Amino acid sequence: MKITDTEFQLLRDYIEEQCGICLNKDKAYLLENRLSSFIETYKCRDFSEFYHIVKGGHHRDLKDKLIDAMTTNETLWFRDTHPYSILKEKILPSFAQAVKDGKKNKIKIWSAASSTGQEPYSIAITVRDFCMGQSIIKKEMVQIIATDISDSCIAKARMGKYDSVAMSRGVSPEQLNRYFVKDSPNSYSISQEIKDMVKFQKFNLQDNPIILEPNFDLVFMRYVAIYFNDEFKKGLYSRLARILSQRGFLVVGAVETLRGLSEDFEMLNHAGGLYYRCKR
């Protein structure tokens, strides 16, 4: 079923209003593909009727299912590698120095848009590896909060089970042996030790992250802001600057930049990878 320009505009505006995702006009095919099953399930004559059903709130969980369908859940272990090198070689050592100097006794990390868990678990593995190489930071001192707007992603992440295809994307043989348990020829589970380091919860980035934690030391906000318009991005980065601890760090996607969107951060470089530090 083809979506008309009017129907696309109605659904596009509704989706942006609910979760901030901004769809350009050339994404009409995306709505057609991802919402076709809803049209069939709810026996709608067209996309207009579906819009009025979801807008009217007659089906309590339909809004969440719609947002879930529109969320891009592309992820893999240790994506781009640079952020995890930066974490291990620059950020965590700076935290260790702060702990040594008596300025910190806990480290709080937020993985936003954590999808099915690969990012926060990759962070946890990096932290665990770092802790094994020194005695200042203990893994019990590190709190990792992982959030996503998708109920299905949160459920999968909490389970911590992945098939062999997912495990072939970024995990080294050493990490596989150390931090995963093979459940079957085609299934692996993250170790309980790593799972216990991460707390998953649902969160909409339109909301103020202070309700999660007022003083994060590090935020991973990777490959999510690219789906928002510039006005939303400016507000988002402003909120991040306010909930980061003094001189806290922000890591964004490899193709993302804060240029023209925020003056609250300074850009840093390590081994070819970029990251940001709050100026205050």
Side-chain angles (χ1 to χ4, degrees), residues 25-85:
K25 195 169 183 179
D26 61 356
K27 298 295 185 182
Y29 76 92
L30 194 64
L31 283 180
E32 290 175 349
N33 291 341
R34 297 194 179 184
L35 303 186
S36 60
S37 62
F38 291 107
I39 299 293
E40 182 178 348
T41 299
Y42 292 92
K43 297 179 172 56
C44 299
R45 293 187 301 271
D46 50 31
F47 287 95
S48 179
E49 184 176 358
F50 172 73
Y51 164 76
H52 288 293
I53 289 175
V54 69
K55 178 84 171 177
H58 303 301
H59 300 272
R60 188 168 53 182
D61 60 346
L62 183 54
K63 183 185 76 173
D64 289 340
K65 288 180 179 179
L66 170 61
I67 294 173
D68 200 8
M70 296 311 302
T71 304
T72 301
N73 298 318
E74 172 64 22
T75 187
L76 66 156
W77 300 96
F78 301 96
R79 187 174 185 178
D80 300 330
T81 67
H82 276 123
Y84 302 97
S85 299

Side-chain angles (χ1 to χ4, degrees), residues 10 26 36 54 66 84 86 92 95 109 119 150 165 167 174 235 248 255 261:
L10 287 171
D26 61 356
S36 60
V54 69
L66 170 61
Y84 302 97
I86 290 169
L92 287 174
F95 291 161
I109 301 173
E119 178 178 277
S150 167
V165 175
M167 296 308 304
E174 181 183 0
V255 298
L261 299 170

